[in-house]
Amino acid sequence: NLDHIAAGHNKRKIIQQMSNATIIDEKVFNDCLKDITRALLQADVQFMLVRDMQTNIKKIVNLDHIAAGHNKRKIIQQAIFNELCKILDPGKPAFSLKKGKTSVVMFVGLQGSGKTTTCTKYAYYHQKKGWKPALVCADTFRAGAFDQLKQNATKAKIPFYGSYTESDPVRIAVEGVERFKEENCDLIIVDTSGRHKQEAALFEEMRQVFEATVDLVIFVMDSSIGQAAFDQAQAFKHSVAVGAVIVTKMDGHAKGGGALSAVAATKSPVIFIGMGEHMNEFEVFDVKPFVSRLLG
Ligand code: GDP
């Protein structure tokens, strides 16, 4: 009895239940949607997005019009899956970088989101594909940020730039980028400090860094960010032209439903996911497995 399935139950199981019902009628369909809604909210998908999806599904799946003999359960399941995939597609790809031509990529995100780790992973990933990356630490805010980047960069044999004494992140970014342009690096990655959305002055500083140098801004988001994802992503988007999203810590329990919010808020695609603390625990984002995981 779908009415008696508690929140948190596996939606696949719930959908499966529908095949056990003798007749899939309107009520079963609505109950099924309600349960999926609950589960998506638990996976941190934003309420508004879930509500829109519900409305769309009702429009798409017209039970009366599904011909006899067709598997209605499969049709509903597929419709939900497709809707979620659609939410994750902003309709345009991220700015494409060209190997051999200098690009400057700036990473933004809250402190602790995994930004510094992800900078190195991103550099390492491209290095393995024949790029010549370099790392610049423009995080003058967090003590130890430069050491962390330096350590990671050294391990991956990636050139790095930063300063223990200079306190102006804009200056470091500009100097670092200049240096690596001279060295013919084709992928210059700038790590910034984890800004809190309320810190207007710091945001302004970040905007200056952006205008001075950058081709692509990547917003790094912790998968466990929860319902706060939309506001955070939007706050960053208002300050700098975020063009892509990376979701970290997908190796943990969080399902990363906040990624849907980040895509909606920034109108930018998710390009990679972080799958662990190590340099190579980094994967190109693939929408289908991500949505499958969200659903169960
Ligand atoms: P920053 O403050 O945003 O620069 O965050 P850090 O890069 O310092 O990362 C914060 C913590 O998250 C560190 O302990 C990282 O090792 C960890 N971390 C980063 N990415 C991942 C990931 O994909 N999976 C896991 N399990 N931990 C991660």
Side-chain angles (χ1 to χ4, degrees):
N1 181 339
L2 284 169
D3 289 338
H4 295 153
I5 296 174
H9 272 66
N10 186 317
K11 283 140 304 329
R12 279 218 190 88
K13 265 196 216 134
I14 296 163
I15 296 172
Q16 205 113 44
Q17 299 278 337
M18 295 178 70
S19 65
N20 298 333
T22 339
I23 305 161
I24 298 181
D25 58 16
E26 195 87 16
K27 183 175 181 316
V28 177
F29 177 56
N30 284 333
D31 286 348
C32 173
L33 260 189
K34 222 189 282 169
D35 286 318
I36 287 175
T37 298
R38 242 180 257 145
L40 287 174
L41 290 172
Q42 275 170 4
D44 294 330
V45 180
Q46 196 196 18
F47 174 72
M48 261 170 4
L49 291 174
V50 174
R51 198 189 49 194
D52 291 350
M53 188 209 66
Q54 257 186 339
T55 314
N56 286 344
I57 291 290
K58 282 184 181 159
K59 269 189 239 152
I60 294 163
V61 181
N62 186 334
L63 290 171
D64 294 339
H65 291 165
I66 299 174
H70 276 78
N71 187 331
K72 295 186 181 188
R73 178 176 67 85
K74 268 229 171 92
I75 291 172
I76 294 165
Q77 202 173 11
Q78 193 59 48
I80 291 167
F81 192 87
N82 290 346
E83 274 306 300
L84 292 171
C85 290
K86 232 160 66 186
I87 295 172
L88 281 161
D89 177 10
K92 61 174 168 52
F95 174 77
S96 78
L97 314 171
K98 286 203 178 66
K99 204 190 281 181
K101 181 181 171 291
T102 306
S103 297
V104 180
V105 179
M106 183 167 92
F107 278 68
V108 299
L110 287 190
Q111 191 164 321
S113 60
K115 197 167 24 65
T116 302
T117 308
T118 306
C119 281
T120 323
K121 285 177 171 181
Y122 185 80
Y124 184 65
Y125 173 88
H126 284 89
Q127 189 185 49
K128 278 191 301 185
K129 292 199 171 302
W131 294 66
K132 214 182 149 200
L135 289 159
V136 178
C137 176
D139 181 354
T140 51
F141 195 65
R142 178 164 65 96
F146 178 42
D147 278 332
Q148 188 188 342
L149 190 92
K150 190 171 152 186
Q151 205 177 17
N152 290 343
T154 307
K155 220 189 283 173
K157 298 192 173 61
I158 295 165
F160 60 92
Y161 183 85
S163 168
Y164 290 112
T165 50
E166 177 58 61
S167 61
D168 179 6
V170 181
R171 189 167 182 164
I172 294 180
V174 171
E175 281 175 7
V177 168
E178 279 315 309
R179 148 118 38 127
F180 292 128
K181 272 185 178 165
E182 277 164 23
E183 293 180 11
N184 290 322
C185 293
D186 53 6
L187 182 60
I188 306 172
I189 297 159
V190 182
D191 187 13
T192 63
S193 67
R195 303 295 157 81
H196 194 273
K197 60 179 173 161
Q198 264 89 34
E199 293 172 310
L202 288 176
F203 253 168
E204 174 55 24
E205 202 178 85
M206 193 162 77
R207 203 181 57 75
Q208 287 176 29
V209 178
F210 174 68
E211 286 185 346
T213 52
V214 175
D215 295 301
L216 172 67
V217 178
I218 299 179
F219 171 61
V220 176
M221 190 200 100
D222 185 327
S223 62
S224 65
I225 196 173
Q227 292 288 329
F230 190 87
D231 288 348
Q232 277 181 18
Q234 199 169 45
F236 277 100
K237 178 75 175 182
H238 282 158
S239 306
V240 289
V242 172
V245 177
I246 293 179
V247 184
T248 62
K249 309 182 192 178
M250 283 298 291
D251 50 310
H253 293 300
K255 298 204 167 144
L260 279 71
S261 303
V263 171
T266 62
K267 300 186 175 52
S268 309
V270 181
I271 52 172
F272 287 97
I273 55 171
M275 291 298 292
E277 299 196 13
H278 296 112
M279 203 112 59
N280 56 357
E281 289 170 325
F282 194 56
E283 294 174 9
V284 172
F285 177 72
D286 191 356
V287 68
K288 285 182 179 169
F290 186 87
V291 170
S292 294
R293 180 182 150 126
L294 217 54
L295 281 171

